Amino acid sequence: MRRLHHGDSIKTRRTLLAALACLACFTSLSQAQTTDWPKRQPIRLVAVFPPGGSVDQVARILAPQLSQQLGQTIVAAKAKKSVSYGTIGSGSLGHLAMALLGKKGGLSMTHVPYKGGGPLMQDAVSGHVPLSIGSVFVTTPHIDSKRMRPLAVTTSKRSSERP
């Protein structure tokens, strides 16, 4: 029989704790399947951080899997938290487009004006502003390098540069 060293016991404890945490998750999922959840309405999965971030991405990945396991519709719901967005400046077309989107969608959004596309893209790429709106010309290098992810265009048709 092998003797455990101090480092081994810490690793063993961590492994056991991780296994217990996983077991607790699976147990709660199996209990959720057996309870009589009201099937009349979908379950709302609320991502409390701004769209496009890691929490939003994880929620979008988990929703279909939870839906399948629980036999219940899951919806990736918007949090009632303000989302900050950056534009090239106050009164710009991007600012007006985002203000209209916020109003039509019932979203609470905080405008962060920048002094042009360069400073905006610098902060958007570094994560200081979670959402930005800019021209195809300004955003393309950052999208091509995978430092930004495009979500939408403000035109009625898809952009030929960003299909």
Side-chain angles (χ1 to χ4, degrees), residues 116-129:
L120 169 62
M121 290 298 108
Q122 185 177 5
D123 273 8
V125 168
S126 64
H128 295 295
V129 63

Side-chain angles (χ1 to χ4, degrees), residues 85 87 92-103 109 133 154:
Y85 68 94
T87 69
S92 65
L93 290 177
H95 177 205
L96 298 175
M98 293 300 286
L100 181 63
L101 176 68
K103 185 175 181 179
M109 298 181 15
I133 184 167
T154 58

Side-chain angles (χ1 to χ4, degrees), residues 52-81:
S54 60
V55 172
D56 179 50
Q57 292 173 6
V58 170
R60 290 174 192 264
I61 291 168
L62 287 178
Q65 294 174 2
L66 286 172
S67 180
Q68 183 181 12
Q69 286 183 3
L70 299 175
Q72 180 79 18
T73 303
I74 308 288
V75 180
K78 62 187 173 204
K80 295 187 183 204
K81 195 172 187 180

Side-chain angles (χ1 to χ4, degrees), residues 10-109:
I10 291 173
K11 289 178 187 174
T12 304
R13 285 183 194 150
R14 287 183 183 161
T15 303
L16 285 173
L17 286 174
L20 286 173
C22 288
L23 182 61
C25 288
F26 289 125
T27 302
S28 64
L29 278 177
S30 66
Q31 288 174 350
Q33 290 175 335
T34 59
T35 60
D36 190 23
W37 186 265
K39 303 262 183 198
R40 292 170 283 169
Q41 58 188 5
I43 297 171
R44 289 179 22 162
L45 178 63
V46 179
V48 296
F49 289 96
S54 60
V55 172
D56 179 50
Q57 292 173 6
V58 170
R60 290 174 192 264
I61 291 168
L62 287 178
Q65 294 174 2
L66 286 172
S67 180
Q68 183 181 12
Q69 286 183 3
L70 299 175
Q72 180 79 18
T73 303
I74 308 288
V75 180
K78 62 187 173 204
K80 295 187 183 204
K81 195 172 187 180
S82 181
V83 175
S84 297
Y85 68 94
T87 69
I88 61 168
S90 293
S92 65
L93 290 177
H95 177 205
L96 298 175
M98 293 300 286
L100 181 63
L101 176 68
K103 185 175 181 179
K104 295 266 185 183
L107 304 169
S108 174
M109 298 181 15

